[in-house]
Amino acid sequence: MSRQSLPRQIVVLVIILVLVFGVALWVSILSIRSAMDRQAEAKSLALMEGRFEAIQEQVSLIASDYHNWTDVYEAANNLDYGELYSNYGITAVRADVFQYAQMLDGPFDAPVAWVAGSTREPQDGFLSRITIDAIRRQVPQLDYQSRETFDFFGMHSSRIVMFSASWLLPEDTFIVPDRVEGGLAIAVIGKIVSDRQLEQVEKQLGVTDLQVRDPDAEVQGVSLPLMDASDRPVALLTWTPPAPGTELFSRIRPIMIGATLAFAFFAFWAARQLLDRAAELAEKEAEAAILARTDPLTQLPNRLGLREHLASFSGPDLKRFAALCVDVDKFKHINDVAGHSGGDTYLKGIADRLRILADGETFVARHGGSEFFVIISGAEELEARVAAKTATLAQLCRTKITVNGYAFDIAIFKGLAFSELREQAYEEVLLRADRAMYLARARHTREVVRYDADMQAVDAFDTTLEKAMRSALASGIEFTLHYQPIVSGLGTGQVMRFEALARWNSRSLGRVSPVDFIRIAESSGLILPLGELLLDRAFEDLRRNPGMNISINVSPVQLMTPGFTEGLIGEVSRRRLDSSRIEVEVTEGVVILDNKSVAAALHELRSRGFSIALDDFGTGFSSIGYLASMPFNVLKIDRSFVSGEAAGHRTRTMVKSMIGLAHSLDMEIVAEGIETEEEAFTFRSYGCEMLQGYYFGRPRPLSEMSSFAQLEFDFEGSPRLARPASRRRARTPAAT
Ligand code: C2E
Ligand code: MG
Ligand code: MG
C-alpha cells in the first residue's frame, strides 16, 4: 500500500458515507412525502364516496317520501294529472327539491314526466329505454316495506343528476295490493348535483378542482366513477386531493437543500483537509526518507542509501554489478592545511566530479569519511561500461580543487570489485572493492586496482588464519617472542636493547609471518588478547633478566583501546620493572590516525619514563614537522631506506637530512635492516645512535641468546666476539 493510499481510501470512504447518508435522507423524505400524499388521496377518495352516498341518501329520502304518498298514488291510479301535478309534478317544475320527475308502468300507458321549468302538463319521459329497462329490473327487487329506493346517476343537459326510483305506493303500505290491476307505477325523481354542492364538497373535503368529466376521460390523479342504472359509469368525478406530504416537503425543501449543500460542502472541505494533511504528511515522510538516505555534506546518497540500492539487486533476478571504491589520499593533510571546512569543500569537489558519473545504471554514494562508492550495474557490457566510467573519472580528476585559496590535486585511490554470478552478499563486494582500494593505497598507485584471484586467495588465507589464531589464543602456547639486538652505532657497538618480535608456530599452518598475523589480529580485534599475552611474556623476560632492555611493538588498535595504557603502566609497576628499560614502538599509522586518545596515551607513557619510538619511519606519509607534536624520542628509519637497491644515492641524501632533522628534534635514530658491514658503516657515519639488522643478529628465542651475551661489534672490521668479554659488557640478557 502506498503512503498516500490509506488517507485516500479514508477520504473515499467518507465521501461514500456522506453520499449514502445524503441519498438515504432524501429518499426517505421523498418516500414519506409520497406516502403522506397517497394516504391523503385514499382518504379523500373514501370521503368523496361517503359524501356522494350521503347526497344520494338525501335524494333517496326525498324519493321515499314522495313515492309513499296515498294522494299521489291514487291520483296516478286515477290518471288524475291535475292532482298529480299539484302534489308531485310541481316540485320538479319548481325545481326547489328535485328537478326531474317521471312515472311509468302501472296505470300509465306511456311514461309521464315533469322537469324544472316545464308546464303543468306532463311531458314524455326523459329516461332512456336502457335506463327504464334497468329500473324495471331493479325496482321489483326493492324491499318496499322499508321504503327502499334504486339510486343511480345520469347526465342530463350536461349536468350530473342523482336519480332515485321506487314503486309508487300509498303511505300505508299494508294496503298495497299488487293485485292492483295493471300493476304498480314506478316513480323516479332526479336531483341535479349543483355547482354549489360541488363547491361545498370541495371545501368540506379540502380538495380542489372537483370536476365532473366524461367517463372515458384520461385521468391522472384520483377519480370516482358515477354509475348509471345499468351500473356503467356515466361520468367521472375528478379532483385534486390534498397533498400534505408535498406541502410539507415544499416547506422543508429549502432547508433540506441548504442542509445538503452545507453538508456536502463540509464533507468536501473535510475531505480536502484530510487529503492535504495526508499529502503533507506523505511529503514530510518522503523528505525524511530522503534525508535519512542523503549525506548532508555532499548531497550524495549515504551508506543507508547505498545499502538500499544494492539490496534492490538481490532476489530472484540477481543483477550483476561492479563496485568502485574511491578514497582520498592524504585527506588528513588537506584538513591540516585548509582546515576542516576546507576539507569539507574538497570532499564536495570530489562528490561533484563523481556525481557526473551517475546515470540510470550508475549509482554514486558517500560511504563515510573520504570514502565513496560508484556502483555500476547491468548485465550487458558491464566490463566495458566500468572501463568507460573509470576513464571518465580519471579525466575528471585532472582538474584541481581550490579550497580556501589552495589548489589541491585530486589524489584518489580506486579499488574495483565485481559481483559474482552466484548469489553473493553485496557487502562482500563492497568489502572487496575496499580491499582493492587499500591495496592501491599501499602500492601508492593512482590506477584502479581490481580485486582479483590473488586477493581472493589472500582473503581466504586471512579467514583461515583468523580462525586458527582464535583457537591458538585459547592456550597461547603457539605464540612466542624472539629478540633481535639493537646495537649502539657509537663507540664499540654494544647491544643497547632487544626488540621483542612475536612468533607464531601454528600447529595447523606452521610458521606464520608476523606481518600476516599481526595484520589479521589488528583487523579482527584479536590484537588485544594477543598483545596482552605477548606483553606478559616480555615483562616476564625482563623480570628474569635485570640487565636487559627491550623494545616492544604496540599496535594503534591497542593504543586506542580505553584502559590499555593504564593497564600497561599498572602491569609494569606491579612487576616492579623500571619503565626506562622499556621502549614502546608504534608505526606511522598512529600518526596518520591523528587520534587524540592515542596522542594522550603516548604522552602518558612518555611521562612515566617509557621511551617512545616511531617505527618504520618513511613508509607512512607523516612529515617530520608533525612528529614534534608527538612524544617520540626515538626514530626508527625503515629498512627500505637502509638496505638493498632502494637505498640509492638520492635516498641516502634524503635519509641524511631526515637524520639531521630528527636530531634537531632531540630524537635518537635507529637504522633498521642493516644487513651488511657497509650499511653498518654508512649509517654509523651518518650519526645513527643505534643500528639493527641481520648483520648484528637475527631475532632469536631468548634461550638461544647465550652467544649474544658477550657480543659487541668492532666497526673497524667484521663483527666478532669481544675479548675479553668482561671489559666492555653489553647489557645483554642472561640465557634462560
Ligand atoms: P618491525 O617492528 O619493524 O620489526 C622489524 C622487522 O624487521 C622484523 O620482522 C625483523 O625480523 C625484521 N628485520 C630485522 N632486521 C632485518 C634485516 O636486516 N633484514 C630484513 N629483511 N629484515 C629484518 P618480523 O619479525 O617479521 O616482524 C614484522 C613486523 O611485525 C614488525 O616490524 C612489527 O611491526 C610487527 N610485529 C612483530 N611482533 C609484534 C608484536 O609483538 N606486536 C606488534 N604490535 N607488532 C609486532
Ligand atoms: Mg618494531
Ligand atoms: Mg620496523
Side-chain angles (χ1 to χ4, degrees):
M1 190 186 284
S2 83
R3 269 182 231 290
Q4 290 232 26
S5 73
L6 182 66
R8 279 249 155 86
Q9 282 174 4
I10 293 173
V11 167
V12 168
L13 199 73
V14 166
I15 288 176
I16 288 174
L17 279 177
V18 165
L19 278 179
V20 166
F21 180 72
V23 168
L25 192 72
W26 276 91
V27 164
S28 54
I29 283 175
L30 290 175
S31 67
I32 288 172
R33 179 187 81 159
S34 56
M36 280 172 82
D37 286 356
R38 252 183 285 120
Q39 212 176 5
E41 195 179 291
K43 198 175 152 199
S44 83
L45 182 63
L47 285 174
M48 193 63 79
E49 274 170 352
R51 218 43 223 109
F52 269 77
E53 267 167 30
I55 294 168
Q56 246 175 348
E57 189 64 31
Q58 277 175 6
V59 179
S60 167
L61 277 175
I62 297 165
S64 66
D65 198 31
Y66 276 79
H67 297 168
N68 291 275
W69 189 354
T70 310
D71 292 347
V72 176
Y73 169 75
E74 282 175 355
N77 280 345
N78 300 330
L79 295 175
D80 182 349
Y81 290 107
E83 191 66 17
L84 269 182
Y85 174 73
S86 49
N87 281 336
Y88 185 71
I90 194 168
T91 316
V93 171
R94 279 203 213 132
D96 41 8
V97 182
F98 46 84
Q99 289 81 27
Y100 292 90
Q102 179 165 335
M103 287 181 178
L104 54 117
D105 296 348
F108 301 104
D109 293 332
V112 287
W114 295 268
V115 294
S118 71
T119 58
R120 60 184 288 135
E121 295 309 315
Q123 317 205 336
D124 294 337
F126 50 81
L127 295 168
S128 70
R129 202 58 272 135
I130 298 168
T131 307
I132 289 171
D133 287 345
I135 292 170
R136 281 179 180 146
R137 273 195 310 276
Q138 295 293 330
V139 170
Q141 293 171 35
L142 299 172
D143 176 4
Y144 59 85
Q145 278 176 332
S146 49
R147 297 188 175 189
E148 265 186 358
T149 57
F150 169 52
D151 306 326
F152 60 91
F153 290 94
M155 287 297 285
H156 285 274
S157 314
S158 310
R159 310 294 297 268
I160 188 95
V161 183
M162 276 182 287
F163 289 102
S164 209
S166 66
W167 296 117
L168 181 62
L169 293 167
E171 280 142 47
D172 309 317
T173 47
F174 63 92
I175 62 151
V176 172
D178 31 7
R179 307 149 226 144
V180 171
E181 208 172 326
L184 287 169
I186 293 171
V188 182
I189 58 161
K191 185 173 166 43
I192 292 170
V193 179
S194 67
D195 289 344
R196 242 191 91 243
Q197 248 179 322
L198 288 178
E199 274 167 27
Q200 265 180 351
V201 170
E202 265 188 343
K203 249 187 227 152
Q204 284 166 353
L205 303 193
V207 303
T208 51
D209 201 21
L210 183 59
Q211 282 180 38
V212 176
R213 303 181 58 187
D214 193 82
D216 305 321
E218 287 247 335
V219 179
Q220 289 278 309
V222 60
S223 66
L224 180 68
L226 301 176
M227 302 308 208
D228 67 5
S230 317
D231 208 22
R232 277 195 309 258
V234 69
L236 268 184
L237 211 53
T238 65
W239 67 94
T240 307
T246 305
E247 224 169 273
L248 180 73
F249 178 72
S250 63
R251 227 174 296 151
I252 62 167
R253 189 167 45 197
I255 302 170
M256 282 285 300
I257 290 173
T260 306
L261 284 179
F263 191 58
F265 176 78
F266 172 75
F268 178 74
W269 176 82
R272 269 316 291 254
Q273 291 289 315
L274 194 62
L275 269 182
D276 285 356
R277 294 284 160 283
E280 240 172 65
L281 207 73
E283 211 171 288
K284 271 191 197 147
E285 251 180 67
E287 259 171 41
I290 291 171
L291 271 183
R293 286 156 186 77
T294 308
D295 168 51
L297 176 69
T298 60
Q299 295 303 314
L300 283 176
N302 61 11
R303 198 179 295 215
L304 177 64
L306 174 67
R307 215 183 303 147
E308 282 184 356
H309 178 73
L310 290 173
S312 69
F313 291 169
S314 55
D317 33 37
L318 191 72
K319 226 180 186 181
R320 230 187 133 215
F321 69 95
L324 181 71
C325 177
V326 173
D327 202 354
V328 176
D329 184 16
K330 293 185 196 156
F331 183 55
K332 193 185 143 350
H333 170 70
I334 295 162
N335 269 326
D336 288 346
V337 176
H340 282 280
S341 68
D344 285 353
T345 312
Y346 185 82
L347 284 182
K348 275 194 247 176
I350 298 277
D352 288 344
R353 281 156 181 80
L354 288 174
R355 213 190 311 273
I356 294 170
L357 302 178
D359 58 32
E361 286 181 314
T362 309
F363 183 87
V364 180
R366 182 182 176 202
H367 194 244
S370 57
E371 195 175 76
F372 297 85
F373 270 99
V374 180
I375 307 295
I376 303 144
S377 57
E380 267 155 52
E381 294 170 350
L382 185 58
E383 299 264 354
R385 274 190 299 117
V386 169
K389 291 286 176 190
T390 50
T392 312
L393 181 59
Q395 195 76 30
L396 289 169
C397 290
R398 297 229 171 98
T399 53
K400 288 181 190 252
I401 297 176
T402 308
V403 178
N404 297 345
Y406 300 94
F408 288 100
D409 280 327
I410 298 178
I412 51 175
F413 296 118
K414 289 162 279 188
L416 178 67
F418 282 83
S419 71
E420 284 169 17
L421 287 171
R422 65 181 169 84
E423 174 94 42
Q424 185 187 21
Y426 61 80
E427 285 97 344
E428 201 184 314
V429 185
L430 296 187
L431 264 167
R432 287 180 170 191
D434 193 63
R435 285 263 294 104
M437 186 279 292
Y438 268 97
L439 197 67
R441 188 185 276 284
R443 288 182 193 158
H444 216 73
T445 173
R446 299 270 175 261
E447 297 304 314
V448 176
V449 172
R450 183 171 170 172
Y451 185 91
D452 55 15
D454 287 350
M455 290 171 85
Q456 195 165 353
V458 170
D459 281 351
F461 170 74
D462 285 2
T463 314
T464 317
L465 217 66
E466 191 187 322
K467 266 193 212 153
M469 203 188 316
R470 266 180 210 285
S471 59
L473 274 170
S475 69
I477 49 166
E478 291 178 11
F479 297 97
T480 51
L481 278 178
H482 280 194
Y483 289 95
Q484 185 180 31
I486 297 170
V487 306
S488 169
L490 311 169
T492 56
Q494 74 201 71
V495 176
M496 305 297 287
R497 61 174 86 90
F498 293 88
E499 178 169 3
L501 292 160
R503 292 293 176 264
W504 178 20
N505 190 3
S506 164
R507 200 149 43 91
S508 53
L509 304 169
R511 288 182 190 283
V512 184
S513 157
V515 179
D516 290 331
F517 74 79
I518 295 293
R519 175 175 56 82
I520 301 293
E522 282 181 334
S523 66
S524 63
L526 291 176
I527 192 72
L528 295 176
L530 176 65
E532 209 172 300
L533 186 122
L534 296 173
L535 281 177
D536 186 68
R537 301 262 164 89
F539 293 157
E540 186 52 26
D541 289 340
L542 264 190
R543 195 188 57 75
R544 288 199 196 165
N545 298 285
M548 181 192 189
N549 293 341
I550 59 162
S551 198
I552 51 174
N553 292 284
V554 170
S555 140
V557 182
Q558 287 169 287
L559 282 173
M560 277 192 293
T561 305
F564 171 79
T565 326
E566 292 77 13
L568 189 133
I569 294 165
E571 209 42 38
V572 168
S573 72
R574 194 176 65 78
R575 295 175 200 244
R576 299 182 192 287
L577 295 171
D578 183 354
S579 58
S580 65
R581 293 171 65 199
I582 304 164
E583 183 168 274
V584 172
E585 288 189 16
V586 289
T587 51
E588 260 188 310
V590 163
V591 182
I592 289 164
L593 271 175
D594 189 26
N595 187 299
K596 287 204 173 68
S597 63
V598 170
L602 293 179
H603 277 287
E604 175 68 11
L605 288 172
R606 186 85 180 89
S607 71
R608 296 289 182 140
F610 292 86
S611 170
I612 312 289
L614 178 61
D615 203 356
D616 303 345
F617 181 73
T619 53
F621 315 104
S622 56
S623 59
I624 289 188
Y626 186 80
L627 302 180
S629 66
M630 294 292 244
F632 299 119
N633 56 316
V634 174
L635 193 75
K636 294 186 81 174
I637 296 173
D638 190 71
R639 69 165 186 268
S640 55
F641 293 92
V642 176
S643 55
E645 288 160 25
H649 176 69
R650 274 174 66 91
T651 316
R652 289 278 149 94
T653 315
M654 202 173 86
V655 166
K656 265 200 272 185
S657 58
M658 266 177 4
I659 292 168
L661 258 164
H663 277 156
S664 69
L665 289 167
D666 276 343
M667 290 183 186
E668 288 188 319
I669 312 289
V670 179
E672 290 189 275
I674 303 279
E675 290 184 351
T676 61
E677 186 181 355
E678 191 216 328
E679 285 160 7
F681 183 81
T682 308
F683 280 86
R684 197 172 165 256
S685 73
Y686 289 166
C688 285
E689 283 80 4
M690 282 164 274
L691 308 167
Q692 179 183 2
Y694 293 168
Y695 177 69
F696 302 106
R698 287 179 180 261
R700 299 262 168 79
L702 200 55
S703 55
E704 292 174 22
M705 282 296 170
S706 55
S707 57
F708 278 113
Q710 294 88 28
L711 198 68
E712 62 181 37
F713 298 91
D714 176 1
F715 290 110
E716 308 301 321
S718 319
R720 58 171 174 80
L721 282 173
R723 300 196 197 282
S726 54
R727 234 185 340 125
R728 281 182 234 138
R729 247 191 114 83
R731 303 180 78 180
T732 52
T736 46

